[in-house]
Amino acid sequence: MALALQTFATVKDANAALKAAGTRYLGGGTLVIRAANEGDVSVSGLIRSTDPALSAIAVAGGKARIGASVTMAAIARHSELGPLAKAARAVGGPAVRNMATVGGNLFAPSPYGDFAVALLALDATVGTDDGELPIEGFLAGRANSRVIVTSVSFALPSADSFRFLKVSRIKPKGVSVLSIAGVVERTGDGTVSSARIALGCMADRPMRARAAEKALLGRSLTKDGIAPALAAASEGISPITDPIASAWYRAEVLPVHLGRLLLG
């Protein structure tokens, strides 16, 4: 089945065209083109925008704004986005990273969307033509969203506070068994003053490990210090089962890999 492709100079015009039945937005194409190739007959038309702001990266005053069309490869090689390079490189192989975009990653269903896990840990805001909203709220409503994402914005983490880990069966580009991202801030004596931990594959979308975050406060990042957080890590999770791993297996290995992330 042939797909009609419409290109618009502005996001506003692309949003208007996206209201038509059967249309999907085309960013890097790693999700929508695969769906069409696999026989998804609900897709009859593709919408894209060439708005330059979608491909821009701006870093200033300790904050970053990344356009929704920026690719994983562009993030991985950007000199001022070093902490995020590992998360960007966790997305597929080189060919996929040259196409996969920030915006598309926000919509990627589990077990995909590793970069969205990192953005959740960073407490990013998601920009659209209608304004900005917290990433957690965006992810909760993404299944019914028909609005084009224009950017993500977040405060750059300090040098040693951001951590990211992807677990897969096939290295280096396998699909995730799980992914974990964390922003852990410590006081001068080494105890945890704040923590945000995000999990991938532990629900139908990236989710916060709130119980583990709370259990880390005031603790040191030692084997004994993180033990309460590991014990609480499974609270509220609902892991997926797919050909890569069962829900049981994902739940069993989560504390092991969270421990490695925190101690690493």
Side-chain angles (χ1 to χ4, degrees):
M1 179 183 67
L3 294 176
L5 174 63
Q6 300 180 73
T7 302
F8 298 91
T10 68
V11 173
K12 181 179 180 180
D13 290 339
N15 265 319
L18 198 60
K19 293 178 181 178
T23 56
R24 294 275 294 275
Y25 186 75
L26 176 64
T30 58
L31 296 175
V32 68
I33 297 300
R34 184 181 66 179
N37 287 341
E38 291 177 349
D40 186 347
V41 296
S42 68
V43 184
S44 59
L46 301 175
I47 306 297
R48 64 188 292 265
S49 174
T50 56
D51 190 327
L54 293 174
S55 300
I57 298 176
V59 180
K63 295 184 178 181
R65 180 193 179 279
I66 305 176
S69 292
V70 173
T71 65
M72 296 297 106
I75 293 170
R77 63 174 176 258
H78 196 282
S79 61
E80 295 178 279
L81 296 177
L84 284 176
K86 186 175 182 179
R89 293 192 184 103
V91 178
V96 171
R97 289 194 294 273
N98 281 332
M99 298 175 62
T101 63
V102 171
N105 214 259
L106 289 173
F107 287 93
S110 295
Y112 307 104
D114 298 306
F115 195 75
V117 175
L119 291 173
L120 179 57
L122 290 166
D123 198 20
T125 56
V126 178
T128 70
D129 259 7
D130 296 328
E132 294 186 333
L133 68 160
I135 187 171
E136 207 161 354
F138 171 82
L139 292 171
R142 70 179 183 178
N144 300 314
S145 176
R146 294 286 292 174
V147 178
I148 297 171
V149 170
T150 57
S151 65
V152 293
S153 302
F154 52 89
L156 288 170
S158 57
D160 61 350
S161 65
F162 179 76
R163 299 147 188 258
F164 179 85
L165 174 68
K166 173 179 175 177
V167 180
S168 62
R169 297 184 184 276
I170 301 174
K171 307 293 183 181
K173 59 180 180 179
V175 176
S176 288
V177 171
L178 62 89
S179 54
I180 313 172
V183 177
V184 181
E185 301 285 354
R186 289 180 281 178
T187 61
D189 64 1
T191 57
V192 175
S193 57
S194 67
R196 284 181 62 91
I197 299 171
L199 308 174
C201 299
M202 293 297 131
D204 62 346
R205 59 183 180 270
M207 62 169 288
R208 292 271 299 280
R210 294 185 182 279
E213 293 171 355
K214 184 177 180 180
L216 276 176
L217 297 180
R219 311 284 295 191
S220 59
L221 295 185
T222 63
K223 184 176 180 179
D224 290 338
I226 67 172
L230 303 189
S234 298
E235 290 188 27
I237 66 172
S238 181
I240 65 168
T241 291
D242 62 10
I244 304 300
S246 67
W248 174 86
Y249 180 78
R250 285 184 161 105
E252 285 293 304
V253 300
L254 171 60
V256 175
H257 292 293
L258 177 58
R260 290 174 178 171
L261 179 87
L262 294 174
L263 295 176

